[in-house]
């Protein structure tokens, strides 16, 4: 890869909450057209602000206020509507605004090692699963982050249409067979951090379904345009930087999203990255976890990859299926009552 890369855009996409610990998930696009997903805490953003002010005193306005281009990072009151979660959602909005202004501040700052190191995926970002008990809270798909914090909602209460990547067979909430076909449209009723989501098909059957088998339906597209998505591959994450040694190999930075088109027991998989198709060492790939869970229409990486049709498609990784009590513990009281009634009248999970 020629020349060092730097972030060109970043968008806040979710609040990830683990008991009292909150992190803020960002989708980052780099100058080499690669994408990555990272999570940072509020304290880490404050530390970044201190480093930037020390590194760029002129841009921070420490010498002359009129020359300040670095944005300020104000905090929110300790007592906020909706408590701890509400404060985290307001911070999510503030951080999104802060990062947009920061990346537009100065080319000198944009290409700095401090900013590159901050947005570079860490080992925790590269893990395929979130920590147990994590609660992912997203803004509603219809409204951008620039809306007031009161317009944000837990995304698993919003129904959203998604397309099934490959056939999958399971049982619905009434213990009846639930079969899906490739390109079939399903409505997502509830997203659970385990990777099993509550979906509904056109026959109004509801079932718990593995999220990696679902992809976004672009606005204005339906089943008639589904053929364009065939062979798009399964999203994986590069665990470290790799420089291809031949024309048939891909060069990929650490944390970048790679689409696997075909696997092989020889240790080299056929992948697509940044519009190119080539070989990549399988040992450096792992299932893309956070980005898959957060994917929805409107995110920066939605629909950016070219579609390449192949005869062989790698089945998505199916996450471990949780028990009913684990799911209900992460739901609001209304959803718990609905799921409880569903269990008593329709059968086991």
């Amino acid at each position: 890869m020629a020349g060092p890369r730097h972030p060109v855009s970043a968008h806040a996409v979710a609040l990830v909450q683990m008991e009292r610990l909150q992190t803020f998930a960002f989708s980052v696009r780099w100058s080499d057209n690669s994408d990555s997903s990272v999570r940072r805490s509020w304290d880490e953003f404050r530390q970044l602000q201190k480093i930037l002010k020390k590194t760029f005193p002129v841009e921070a306005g420490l010498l002359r206020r009129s020359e300040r281009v670095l944005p300020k990072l104000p905090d929110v009151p300790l007592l906020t509507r909706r408590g701890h979660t509400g404060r985290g959602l307001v911070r999510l909005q503030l951080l999104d605004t802060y990062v947009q202004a920061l990346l537009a501040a100065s080319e000198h700052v944009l290409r700095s090692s401090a900013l590159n190191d901050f947005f570079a995926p860490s080992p925790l970002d590269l893990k395929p699963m979130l920590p147990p008990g994590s609660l992912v809270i997203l803004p509603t798909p219809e409204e951008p982050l620039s809306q007031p914090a009161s317009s944000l909602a837990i995304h698993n209460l919003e129904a959203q249409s998604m397309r099934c990547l490959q056939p999958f067979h399971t049982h619905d909430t009434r213990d009846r067979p639930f079969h899906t076909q490739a390109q079939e449209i399903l409505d997502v009723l509830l997203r659970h951090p385990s990777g099993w989501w509550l979906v509904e098909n056109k026959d109004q059957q509801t079932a718990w379904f593995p999220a990696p088998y679902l992809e976004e339906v672009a606005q204005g597209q339906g089943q008639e345009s589904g053929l364009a998505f065939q062979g798009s591959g399964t999203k994986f994450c590069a665990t470290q930087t790799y420089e291809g040694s031949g024309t048939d190999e891909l060069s990929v930075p650490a944390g970048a999203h790679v689409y696997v088109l075909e696997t092989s027991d020889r240790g080299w998989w056929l992948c697509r990255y940044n519009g190119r198709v080539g070989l990549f060492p399988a040992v450096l790939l792992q299932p893309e976890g956070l980005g898959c869970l957060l994917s929805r229409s409107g995110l920066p990486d939605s629909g950016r990859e070219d579609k390449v049709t192949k005869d062989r498609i790698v089945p998505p990784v199916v996450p471990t299926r949780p028990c009913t009590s684990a799911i209900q513990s992460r739901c609001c009281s209304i959803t718990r009552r609905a799921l409880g009634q569903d269990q008593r009248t329709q059968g086991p999970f």
Side-chain angles (χ1 to χ4, degrees):
M1 288 168 284
R5 64 174 188 161
H6 61 274
V8 294
S9 66
H11 300 268
V13 291
L15 167 66
V16 181
Q17 193 162 282
M18 297 161 285
E19 296 182 351
R20 301 299 297 178
L21 176 63
Q22 293 180 332
T23 56
F24 305 90
F26 276 74
S27 177
V28 183
R29 180 165 287 274
W30 297 81
S31 56
D32 60 357
N33 290 324
S34 63
D35 295 292
S36 59
S37 299
V38 300
R39 288 187 296 120
R40 300 290 181 264
S41 67
W42 180 260
D43 288 340
E44 287 174 314
F45 273 100
R46 299 293 292 183
Q47 183 63 28
L48 171 66
Q49 179 75 345
K50 293 179 180 179
I51 294 174
L52 292 177
K53 289 175 66 176
K54 183 178 180 180
T55 307
F56 303 101
V58 175
E59 289 81 355
L62 299 182
L63 303 180
R64 292 183 181 177
R65 292 187 179 181
S66 59
E67 295 179 346
R68 182 185 184 109
V69 293
L70 286 180
K72 296 182 179 180
L73 181 57
D75 203 350
V76 297
L78 184 60
L79 298 179
T80 307
R81 186 180 178 185
R82 295 172 60 191
H84 183 60
T85 300
R87 191 175 191 226
L89 291 174
V90 176
R91 280 179 167 178
L92 181 70
Q93 180 185 1
L94 290 175
L95 288 174
D96 186 64
T97 302
Y98 169 76
V99 169
Q100 304 307 313
L102 183 61
L103 295 180
S106 166
E107 190 73 16
H108 189 47
V109 176
L110 185 65
R111 295 177 178 271
S112 67
S113 59
L115 208 58
N116 288 0
D117 293 343
F118 181 80
F119 284 111
S122 68
L124 288 178
D125 297 323
L126 300 179
K127 288 184 177 295
M129 296 293 291
L130 293 175
S134 298
L135 179 63
V136 178
I137 305 175
L138 309 177
T140 55
E142 297 80 12
E143 298 174 345
L145 277 168
S146 58
Q147 297 294 323
S150 59
S151 67
L152 300 175
I154 295 179
H155 191 63
N156 60 15
L157 301 181
E158 301 286 335
Q160 180 188 8
S161 295
M162 302 190 75
R163 179 185 286 108
C164 188
L165 287 170
Q166 295 187 34
F168 190 82
H169 308 297
T170 183
H171 286 80
D172 67 7
T173 54
R174 295 186 178 182
D175 205 26
R176 300 174 302 179
F178 187 90
H179 303 300
T180 61
Q181 302 299 322
Q183 312 305 319
E184 182 176 345
I185 303 298
L186 300 174
D187 287 333
V188 178
L189 306 179
L190 187 147
R191 298 187 180 203
H192 188 264
S194 66
W196 282 84
W197 295 352
L198 186 66
V199 302
E200 183 179 68
N201 62 13
K202 62 181 180 180
D203 297 324
Q204 295 186 329
Q205 280 184 279
T206 58
W208 294 99
F209 200 83
Y213 273 76
L214 298 172
E215 71 172 359
E216 297 299 326
V217 178
Q219 188 173 4
Q221 291 183 330
Q223 292 191 15
E224 65 277 3
S225 62
L227 293 178
F229 287 84
Q230 289 184 356
S232 60
T234 303
K235 185 187 289 187
F236 278 71
C237 182
T239 59
Q240 66 184 64
T241 299
Y242 178 80
E243 293 281 354
S245 59
T247 57
D248 60 339
E249 296 181 14
L250 295 176
S251 295
V252 180
H257 298 158
V258 175
Y259 290 77
V260 175
L261 305 177
E262 187 172 351
T263 61
S264 171
D265 55 7
R266 297 180 180 179
W268 289 85
W269 289 1
L270 184 66
C271 304
R272 186 178 69 258
Y273 168 73
N274 197 18
R276 289 192 62 235
V277 175
L279 297 176
F280 194 80
V283 70
L284 301 183
L285 293 174
Q286 66 183 11
E288 212 286 320
L290 180 62
C292 178
L293 180 63
L294 299 179
S295 65
R296 60 177 176 86
S297 299
L299 293 190
D301 61 347
S302 298
R304 292 298 297 270
E305 290 287 339
D306 298 328
K307 306 303 174 183
V308 180
T309 303
K310 304 298 291 183
D311 294 332
R312 182 180 175 186
I313 303 175
V314 183
V317 178
V318 178
T320 303
R321 191 169 183 170
C323 61
T324 306
S325 58
I327 290 180
Q328 291 181 342
S329 67
R330 309 308 302 175
C331 301
C332 66
S333 58
I334 297 176
T335 306
R336 281 200 298 270
R337 286 197 296 269
L339 292 175
Q341 293 173 357
D342 190 63
Q343 288 297 316
R344 289 192 295 271
T345 60
Q346 298 176 358
F349 171 55

